[in-house]
Amino acid sequence: MTRQAIIERTINAINQLPEDKAAEISDFADFVIKKFEDSRITENIKQLASKSQTFEFLNNEEELYTVADLKENYNP
């Protein structure tokens, strides 16, 4: 089914409903749009962070401590 066919089918269904039920569908559509926008924003932030070289300097940092420095080891 094409996008336009889905839209037309949904509009026809909404036109058959009473006003309070049509309002529920409108509220749900607002919720879906917000959820979609939030996920898109989150995905874009993840992409920016993964491409960022902000913490690249940590890869070149020397190791200050070793396992021998531990006083207690909790791994069996």
Side-chain angles (χ1 to χ4, degrees):
M1 187 179 295
T2 67
R3 184 177 197 276
Q4 188 60 36
I6 293 169
I7 292 170
E8 289 173 13
R9 181 176 166 216
T10 305
I11 290 172
N12 288 336
I14 292 171
N15 284 331
Q16 296 175 18
L17 295 172
E19 186 175 338
D20 62 326
K21 297 299 179 188
E24 284 183 38
I25 292 174
S26 177
D27 291 343
F28 179 70
D30 290 341
F31 167 76
V32 171
I33 289 169
K34 180 167 180 8
K35 187 175 176 183
F36 174 71
E37 289 173 346
D38 288 349
S39 70
R40 198 162 68 178
I41 289 171
T42 301
E43 187 58 37
N44 287 340
I45 289 171
K46 285 181 187 177
Q47 287 179 3
L48 283 173
S50 70
K51 293 176 184 176
S52 172
Q53 295 183 354
T54 302
F55 297 104
E56 189 67 29
F57 69 94
L58 294 174
N59 292 333
N60 300 327
E61 189 174 44
E62 68 178 77
E63 295 293 329
L64 299 177
Y65 302 103
T66 65
V67 175
D69 295 323
L70 293 175
K71 293 184 179 184
E72 292 185 40
N73 188 350
Y74 294 101
N75 293 328

Coordinates of all heavy atoms in Angstrom, one line a residue:
M1 N 0.8 -1.2 0.0 CA 0.0 0.0 0.0 C 0.9 1.2 0.0 O 1.9 1.3 0.8 CB -0.9 0.0 1.3 CG -1.9 1.0 1.3 SD -3.0 1.0 2.7 CE -3.9 -0.5 2.5
T2 N 0.6 2.2 -0.8 CA 1.4 3.4 -0.9 C 1.1 4.3 0.2 O 0.0 4.2 0.9 CB 1.1 4.2 -2.2 OG1 -0.3 4.6 -2.2 CG2 1.3 3.3 -3.4
R3 N 1.9 5.3 0.4 CA 1.8 6.3 1.5 C 0.5 7.0 1.3 O -0.3 7.3 2.3 CB 3.0 7.2 1.5 CG 3.0 8.2 2.6 CD 4.3 9.0 2.6 NE 4.5 9.7 3.8 CZ 4.0 10.9 4.2 NH1 3.2 11.5 3.4 NH2 4.3 11.4 5.3
Q4 N 0.2 7.5 0.1 CA -1.0 8.2 -0.2 C -2.3 7.4 0.1 O -3.2 7.9 0.7 CB -1.0 8.7 -1.6 CG -2.1 9.7 -1.9 CD -2.1 10.9 -1.1 OE1 -1.0 11.5 -0.8 NE2 -3.3 11.4 -0.7
A5 N -2.2 6.1 -0.2 CA -3.4 5.2 0.0 C -3.6 5.1 1.5 O -4.8 5.0 2.0 CB -3.2 3.9 -0.6
I6 N -2.5 5.0 2.3 CA -2.6 4.8 3.8 C -3.2 6.1 4.3 O -4.1 6.1 5.2 CB -1.2 4.6 4.4 CG1 -0.7 3.2 4.0 CG2 -1.3 4.7 5.9 CD1 0.7 3.0 4.3
I7 N -2.8 7.3 3.9 CA -3.3 8.5 4.3 C -4.8 8.6 4.0 O -5.6 9.0 4.9 CB -2.6 9.7 3.7 CG1 -1.1 9.8 4.3 CG2 -3.3 11.1 4.0 CD1 -0.2 10.7 3.5
E8 N -5.2 8.3 2.8 CA -6.6 8.4 2.4 C -7.5 7.4 3.3 O -8.6 7.8 3.7 CB -6.8 8.1 0.9 CG -6.3 9.2 0.1 CD -6.3 8.9 -1.4 OE1 -6.9 7.9 -1.8 OE2 -5.6 9.6 -2.2
R9 N -7.0 6.2 3.5 CA -7.7 5.2 4.3 C -7.9 5.7 5.7 O -8.9 5.6 6.3 CB -6.9 3.9 4.2 CG -7.6 2.8 5.0 CD -6.8 1.5 4.8 NE -7.2 0.6 5.8 CZ -6.4 -0.3 6.5 NH1 -5.1 -0.3 6.1 NH2 -6.9 -1.1 7.3
T10 N -6.8 6.3 6.3 CA -6.9 6.8 7.6 C -7.9 8.0 7.7 O -8.7 8.1 8.7 CB -5.5 7.2 8.1 OG1 -4.6 6.1 8.0 CG2 -5.5 7.7 9.5
I11 N -7.8 8.9 6.8 CA -8.8 10.0 6.8 C -10.2 9.5 6.7 O -11.1 10.0 7.4 CB -8.4 11.0 5.7 CG1 -7.1 11.7 6.0 CG2 -9.6 12.0 5.4 CD1 -6.6 12.6 4.8
N12 N -10.5 8.5 5.9 CA -11.8 8.0 5.7 C -12.3 7.4 7.1 O -13.4 7.5 7.5 CB -11.9 6.9 4.6 CG -11.8 7.6 3.2 OD1 -12.2 8.7 3.1 ND2 -11.4 6.8 2.3
A13 N -11.4 6.7 7.7 CA -11.7 6.1 9.0 C -12.0 7.1 10.1 O -12.9 7.0 10.9 CB -10.5 5.1 9.5
I14 N -11.2 8.2 10.1 CA -11.3 9.3 11.1 C -12.7 10.0 10.8 O -13.4 10.3 11.8 CB -10.2 10.3 11.0 CG1 -8.9 9.6 11.5 CG2 -10.5 11.5 11.8 CD1 -7.6 10.4 11.3
N15 N -13.0 10.2 9.6 CA -14.3 10.8 9.2 C -15.5 10.1 9.7 O -16.6 10.7 9.9 CB -14.4 11.1 7.7 CG -13.5 12.2 7.3 OD1 -13.3 13.2 8.1 ND2 -13.1 12.2 6.1
Q16 N -15.4 8.8 9.9 CA -16.5 8.0 10.4 C -16.6 7.9 11.9 O -17.6 7.4 12.5 CB -16.3 6.5 9.9 CG -16.4 6.4 8.4 CD -16.1 5.0 7.9 OE1 -16.2 4.1 8.6 NE2 -15.8 4.9 6.6
L17 N -15.6 8.4 12.6 CA -15.6 8.4 14.1 C -16.2 9.6 14.7 O -16.2 10.7 14.1 CB -14.2 8.2 14.6 CG -13.4 7.0 14.2 CD1 -12.0 7.1 14.6 CD2 -14.1 5.8 14.9
P18 N -16.7 9.5 16.0 CA -17.2 10.6 16.7 C -16.0 11.5 17.0 O -14.8 11.1 17.0 CB -17.8 10.1 18.0 CG -17.4 8.6 18.0 CD -16.9 8.2 16.7
E19 N -16.3 12.8 17.4 CA -15.2 13.8 17.7 C -14.2 13.3 18.7 O -13.0 13.5 18.5 CB -15.9 15.1 18.1 CG -14.9 16.2 18.2 CD -15.5 17.5 18.5 OE1 -16.7 17.7 18.2 OE2 -14.8 18.4 19.0
D20 N -14.7 12.7 19.8 CA -13.7 12.3 20.9 C -12.8 11.3 20.4 O -11.6 11.2 20.8 CB -14.5 11.9 22.1 CG -15.4 10.7 21.9 OD1 -15.9 10.5 20.8 OD2 -15.5 9.9 22.9
K21 N -13.2 10.3 19.6 CA -12.4 9.3 19.1 C -11.4 9.8 18.0 O -10.2 9.4 18.0 CB -13.2 8.1 18.5 CG -14.1 7.4 19.5 CD -13.2 6.8 20.6 CE -14.1 6.1 21.6 NZ -13.4 5.7 22.8
A22 N -11.8 10.8 17.2 CA -11.0 11.5 16.3 C -9.9 12.2 17.0 O -8.7 12.2 16.6 CB -11.8 12.4 15.4
A23 N -10.2 12.8 18.1 CA -9.2 13.5 19.0 C -8.2 12.6 19.5 O -7.0 12.9 19.6 CB -9.9 14.3 20.1
E24 N -8.6 11.4 19.9 CA -7.7 10.3 20.4 C -6.7 10.0 19.3 O -5.5 9.8 19.5 CB -8.4 9.1 20.8 CG -9.1 9.2 22.1 CD -9.7 7.9 22.5 OE1 -9.1 6.8 22.3 OE2 -10.8 7.9 23.1
I25 N -7.1 9.8 18.1 CA -6.2 9.5 16.9 C -5.3 10.7 16.7 O -4.1 10.4 16.4 CB -7.1 9.2 15.7 CG1 -7.8 7.9 15.9 CG2 -6.2 9.1 14.5 CD1 -8.7 7.5 14.8
S26 N -5.8 11.9 16.8 CA -4.9 13.0 16.7 C -3.8 13.1 17.7 O -2.6 13.3 17.4 CB -5.7 14.3 16.7 OG -4.9 15.5 16.6
D27 N -4.2 12.8 19.0 CA -3.2 12.7 20.1 C -2.2 11.6 19.8 O -1.0 11.8 20.1 CB -3.9 12.5 21.4 CG -4.8 13.7 21.9 OD1 -4.6 14.8 21.3 OD2 -5.6 13.5 22.7
F28 N -2.7 10.5 19.3 CA -1.8 9.4 19.1 C -0.8 9.7 17.9 O 0.4 9.4 18.0 CB -2.5 8.1 18.7 CG -1.6 6.9 18.4 CD1 -0.9 6.3 19.4 CD2 -1.5 6.5 17.1 CE1 -0.1 5.3 19.1 CE2 -0.7 5.4 16.8 CZ 0.1 4.8 17.8
A29 N -1.3 10.4 16.9 CA -0.4 10.8 15.8 C 0.7 11.8 16.3 O 1.8 11.7 15.9 CB -1.2 11.5 14.7
D30 N 0.3 12.7 17.2 CA 1.3 13.6 17.8 C 2.3 12.8 18.6 O 3.5 13.2 18.5 CB 0.6 14.6 18.8 CG -0.3 15.6 18.0 OD1 -0.1 15.8 16.8 OD2 -1.2 16.2 18.7
F31 N 1.9 11.8 19.3 CA 2.8 11.0 20.1 C 3.8 10.3 19.2 O 5.0 10.2 19.4 CB 2.0 9.9 20.9 CG 2.8 8.9 21.5 CD1 3.7 9.1 22.6 CD2 2.8 7.6 20.9 CE1 4.4 8.1 23.1 CE2 3.6 6.6 21.4 CZ 4.4 6.8 22.6
V32 N 3.3 9.7 18.1 CA 4.1 9.0 17.1 C 5.1 9.9 16.5 O 6.3 9.6 16.3 CB 3.3 8.2 16.1 CG1 4.1 7.6 15.0 CG2 2.4 7.1 16.7
I33 N 4.7 11.1 16.1 CA 5.6 12.1 15.5 C 6.7 12.5 16.5 O 7.9 12.5 16.2 CB 4.8 13.3 15.1 CG1 4.0 13.0 13.9 CG2 5.8 14.5 14.8 CD1 3.0 14.1 13.5
K34 N 6.3 12.7 17.8 CA 7.4 13.1 18.8 C 8.3 12.0 19.0 O 9.5 12.2 19.1 CB 6.7 13.5 20.1 CG 7.7 13.9 21.2 CD 7.1 14.5 22.3 CE 8.0 14.9 23.4 NZ 9.4 14.8 23.2
K35 N 7.8 10.7 19.1 CA 8.7 9.6 19.3 C 9.7 9.4 18.1 O 10.8 9.1 18.3 CB 7.8 8.3 19.4 CG 8.6 7.1 19.8 CD 7.6 5.9 20.1 CE 8.4 4.7 20.3 NZ 7.5 3.5 20.5
F36 N 9.2 9.6 16.9 CA 10.0 9.5 15.7 C 11.1 10.6 15.7 O 12.2 10.3 15.4 CB 9.1 9.6 14.4 CG 9.9 9.7 13.2 CD1 10.6 8.6 12.7 CD2 10.0 10.9 12.4 CE1 11.3 8.7 11.5 CE2 10.7 11.0 11.3 CZ 11.4 9.8 10.8
E37 N 10.7 11.8 16.0 CA 11.6 12.9 16.1 C 12.7 12.7 17.1 O 13.9 12.9 16.9 CB 10.9 14.3 16.3 CG 10.1 14.7 15.2 CD 9.3 16.0 15.5 OE1 9.1 16.3 16.7 OE2 8.8 16.6 14.5
D38 N 12.3 12.2 18.3 CA 13.2 11.9 19.4 C 14.2 10.8 19.0 O 15.4 10.9 19.2 CB 12.5 11.5 20.7 CG 11.8 12.6 21.3 OD1 12.0 13.8 20.9 OD2 11.0 12.3 22.3
S39 N 13.7 9.8 18.3 CA 14.7 8.7 17.9 C 15.6 9.2 16.8 O 16.8 8.8 16.8 CB 13.9 7.5 17.4 OG 13.2 7.7 16.2
R40 N 15.1 10.1 15.9 CA 16.0 10.6 14.9 C 17.1 11.5 15.5 O 18.2 11.5 15.1 CB 15.2 11.4 13.9 CG 15.9 11.6 12.6 CD 15.0 11.9 11.5 NE 14.4 13.2 11.7 CZ 13.6 13.8 10.8 NH1 13.2 13.2 9.7 NH2 13.1 15.0 11.1
I41 N 16.7 12.3 16.5 CA 17.6 13.2 17.2 C 18.7 12.4 17.9 O 19.9 12.6 17.8 CB 16.9 14.2 18.1 CG1 16.1 15.2 17.4 CG2 17.9 14.8 19.1 CD1 15.2 16.1 18.2
T42 N 18.2 11.3 18.6 CA 19.1 10.4 19.3 C 20.1 9.8 18.4 O 21.3 9.7 18.7 CB 18.3 9.4 20.1 OG1 17.5 10.0 21.0 CG2 19.3 8.4 20.9
E43 N 19.6 9.3 17.2 CA 20.5 8.6 16.3 C 21.5 9.6 15.7 O 22.7 9.3 15.5 CB 19.6 8.1 15.1 CG 20.4 7.2 14.2 CD 21.2 6.0 14.8 OE1 20.6 5.4 15.7 OE2 22.3 5.7 14.4
N44 N 21.1 10.9 15.4 CA 22.0 11.9 14.9 C 23.1 12.2 16.0 O 24.3 12.4 15.6 CB 21.3 13.1 14.5 CG 20.5 12.9 13.2 OD1 20.8 12.0 12.5 ND2 19.5 13.8 13.0
I45 N 22.7 12.3 17.2 CA 23.7 12.5 18.3 C 24.7 11.4 18.4 O 25.9 11.6 18.6 CB 23.0 12.7 19.7 CG1 22.2 14.1 19.6 CG2 23.9 12.7 20.8 CD1 21.3 14.3 20.8
K46 N 24.2 10.1 18.3 CA 25.1 9.0 18.3 C 26.1 9.0 17.2 O 27.3 8.7 17.4 CB 24.3 7.7 18.2 CG 23.6 7.3 19.4 CD 22.8 6.0 19.2 CE 21.9 5.6 20.3 NZ 21.2 4.3 20.0
Q47 N 25.6 9.4 16.0 CA 26.5 9.5 14.8 C 27.6 10.6 15.1 O 28.8 10.4 14.8 CB 25.7 9.8 13.6 CG 25.0 8.6 13.1 CD 24.2 8.9 11.8 OE1 24.2 10.0 11.3 NE2 23.4 7.9 11.4
L48 N 27.2 11.7 15.6 CA 28.1 12.8 15.8 C 29.1 12.4 16.9 O 30.3 12.6 16.7 CB 27.4 14.0 16.3 CG 26.7 14.9 15.3 CD1 25.9 16.0 16.0 CD2 27.7 15.5 14.3
A49 N 28.7 11.7 17.9 CA 29.6 11.3 19.0 C 30.6 10.2 18.5 O 31.7 10.2 18.9 CB 28.8 10.7 20.2
S50 N 30.1 9.3 17.6 CA 31.0 8.3 17.1 C 32.0 8.8 16.2 O 33.1 8.3 16.1 CB 30.2 7.2 16.4 OG 29.6 7.6 15.2
K51 N 31.7 9.9 15.5 CA 32.7 10.5 14.6 C 33.6 11.5 15.3 O 34.6 12.0 14.7 CB 31.9 11.2 13.4 CG 31.2 10.2 12.5 CD 30.4 10.9 11.5 CE 29.7 9.9 10.6 NZ 28.8 10.6 9.6
S52 N 33.2 11.9 16.5 CA 33.9 12.9 17.2 C 35.3 12.4 17.6 O 35.5 11.2 17.9 CB 33.1 13.3 18.4 OG 33.9 14.2 19.3
Q53 N 36.3 13.3 17.7 CA 37.6 12.9 18.1 C 37.9 13.5 19.5 O 39.1 13.7 19.8 CB 38.6 13.2 17.1 CG 38.4 12.5 15.8 CD 39.5 12.8 14.8 OE1 40.3 13.7 15.0 NE2 39.5 12.1 13.7
T54 N 36.9 13.9 20.2 CA 37.0 14.6 21.5 C 37.9 13.8 22.5 O 38.8 14.4 23.1 CB 35.7 14.8 22.1 OG1 34.9 15.6 21.2 CG2 35.8 15.6 23.4
F55 N 37.7 12.5 22.6 CA 38.5 11.7 23.5 C 39.6 10.9 22.9 O 40.1 10.0 23.4 CB 37.5 10.8 24.3 CG 36.5 11.6 25.1 CD1 35.2 11.7 24.7 CD2 36.9 12.2 26.3 CE1 34.3 12.4 25.4 CE2 36.0 12.9 27.0 CZ 34.7 13.0 26.6
E56 N 40.0 11.3 21.7 CA 41.0 10.6 21.0 C 42.3 10.6 21.7 O 43.1 9.6 21.7 CB 41.2 11.2 19.6 CG 42.1 10.5 18.7 CD 41.5 9.1 18.2 OE1 40.3 9.0 18.2 OE2 42.3 8.2 18.0
F57 N 42.6 11.6 22.5 CA 43.8 11.7 23.3 C 44.0 10.6 24.3 O 45.1 10.2 24.7 CB 43.9 13.1 24.0 CG 42.9 13.2 25.1 CD1 43.3 12.9 26.4 CD2 41.6 13.7 24.9 CE1 42.4 13.1 27.5 CE2 40.7 13.8 25.9 CZ 41.1 13.5 27.2
L58 N 42.9 10.0 24.7 CA 42.9 8.9 25.7 C 43.6 7.6 25.1 O 44.1 6.8 25.8 CB 41.5 8.6 26.2 CG 40.9 9.7 27.0 CD1 39.5 9.3 27.4 CD2 41.7 9.9 28.3
N59 N 43.5 7.5 23.8 CA 44.1 6.3 23.1 C 45.6 6.3 23.2 O 46.3 5.3 23.1 CB 43.6 6.2 21.7 CG 42.2 5.9 21.5 OD1 41.6 5.3 22.4 ND2 41.6 6.3 20.4
N60 N 46.2 7.5 23.3 CA 47.6 7.6 23.4 C 48.2 7.8 24.8 O 49.4 7.9 25.0 CB 48.1 8.8 22.5 CG 47.6 8.7 21.1 OD1 47.6 7.6 20.5 ND2 47.3 9.8 20.5
E61 N 47.3 7.7 25.8 CA 47.7 7.9 27.1 C 48.4 6.6 27.7 O 47.9 5.5 27.4 CB 46.5 8.2 28.0 CG 46.8 8.6 29.4 CD 45.6 9.1 30.1 OE1 44.5 8.4 30.0 OE2 45.6 10.1 30.8
E62 N 49.5 6.8 28.4 CA 50.2 5.6 28.9 C 49.4 5.0 30.1 O 48.6 5.7 30.8 CB 51.6 6.0 29.4 CG 51.6 6.9 30.6 CD 52.9 7.3 31.1 OE1 53.6 8.1 30.5 OE2 53.4 6.7 32.1
E63 N 49.5 3.7 30.3 CA 48.9 3.0 31.4 C 49.5 3.4 32.7 O 50.7 3.3 32.8 CB 49.0 1.5 31.2 CG 48.2 1.0 29.9 CD 46.7 1.2 30.1 OE1 46.2 1.1 31.2 OE2 46.1 1.4 29.0
L64 N 48.8 3.9 33.6 CA 49.3 4.3 34.9 C 49.3 3.2 35.9 O 50.1 3.1 36.8 CB 48.5 5.5 35.5 CG 48.5 6.8 34.7 CD1 47.6 7.8 35.3 CD2 49.9 7.3 34.5
Y65 N 48.4 2.3 35.8 CA 48.2 1.2 36.7 C 48.2 -0.2 36.0 O 47.8 -0.2 34.9 CB 46.9 1.3 37.6 CG 46.9 2.7 38.3 CD1 46.1 3.7 37.8 CD2 47.6 2.8 39.5 CE1 46.1 4.9 38.5 CE2 47.6 4.0 40.2 CZ 46.8 5.1 39.7 OH 46.8 6.2 40.4
T66 N 48.6 -1.2 36.7 CA 48.5 -2.6 36.2 C 47.7 -3.4 37.1 O 47.4 -3.0 38.3 CB 49.9 -3.2 36.0 OG1 50.5 -3.3 37.2 CG2 50.8 -2.3 35.1
V67 N 47.5 -4.7 36.8 CA 46.8 -5.6 37.7 C 47.6 -5.8 38.9 O 47.1 -6.0 40.0 CB 46.5 -6.9 36.9 CG1 45.9 -8.0 37.9 CG2 45.6 -6.7 35.7
A68 N 48.9 -5.7 38.8 CA 49.8 -5.9 40.0 C 49.6 -4.8 41.1 O 49.9 -5.0 42.2 CB 51.2 -5.9 39.6
D69 N 49.0 -3.7 40.7 CA 48.8 -2.6 41.6 C 47.5 -2.8 42.5 O 47.3 -2.1 43.5 CB 48.6 -1.3 40.9 CG 49.9 -0.8 40.2 OD1 51.0 -1.0 40.7 OD2 49.8 -0.3 39.0
L70 N 46.7 -3.8 42.1 CA 45.5 -4.1 42.9 C 45.8 -4.7 44.2 O 46.7 -5.5 44.4 CB 44.6 -5.0 42.1 CG 44.0 -4.6 40.8 CD1 43.2 -5.7 40.1 CD2 43.0 -3.4 41.1
K71 N 45.1 -4.2 45.2 CA 45.2 -4.8 46.6 C 44.3 -6.0 46.7 O 44.6 -6.9 47.5 CB 45.0 -3.7 47.7 CG 46.0 -2.6 47.7 CD 45.8 -1.7 48.8 CE 46.9 -0.6 48.8 NZ 46.8 0.3 49.9
E72 N 43.1 -5.9 46.1 CA 42.2 -7.0 46.2 C 41.7 -7.2 44.8 O 41.4 -6.3 44.0 CB 41.0 -6.7 47.1 CG 41.4 -6.6 48.5 CD 40.2 -6.5 49.4 OE1 39.1 -7.1 49.1 OE2 40.2 -5.7 50.4
N73 N 41.6 -8.5 44.4 CA 41.0 -8.8 43.1 C 39.7 -9.6 43.3 O 39.7 -10.6 43.9 CB 42.1 -9.7 42.3 CG 41.6 -9.9 40.9 OD1 40.5 -9.6 40.5 ND2 42.5 -10.5 40.1
Y74 N 38.6 -9.1 42.8 CA 37.3 -9.6 43.0 C 36.9 -10.6 41.9 O 35.9 -11.3 42.0 CB 36.3 -8.5 43.1 CG 36.5 -7.7 44.3 CD1 37.1 -6.4 44.2 CD2 36.1 -8.1 45.5 CE1 37.2 -5.6 45.3 CE2 36.3 -7.4 46.7 CZ 36.8 -6.1 46.6 OH 37.0 -5.4 47.7
N75 N 37.7 -10.8 40.9 CA 37.5 -11.8 39.9 C 38.1 -13.2 40.3 O 39.2 -13.2 40.7 CB 38.0 -11.4 38.5 CG 37.3 -10.2 38.0 OD1 36.2 -10.0 38.2 ND2 38.1 -9.4 37.3
P76 N 37.3 -14.3 40.3 CA 37.8 -15.6 40.7 C 38.9 -16.1 39.7 O 39.1 -15.8 38.6 CB 36.6 -16.5 40.7 CG 35.5 -15.7 40.0 CD 35.9 -14.3 39.9

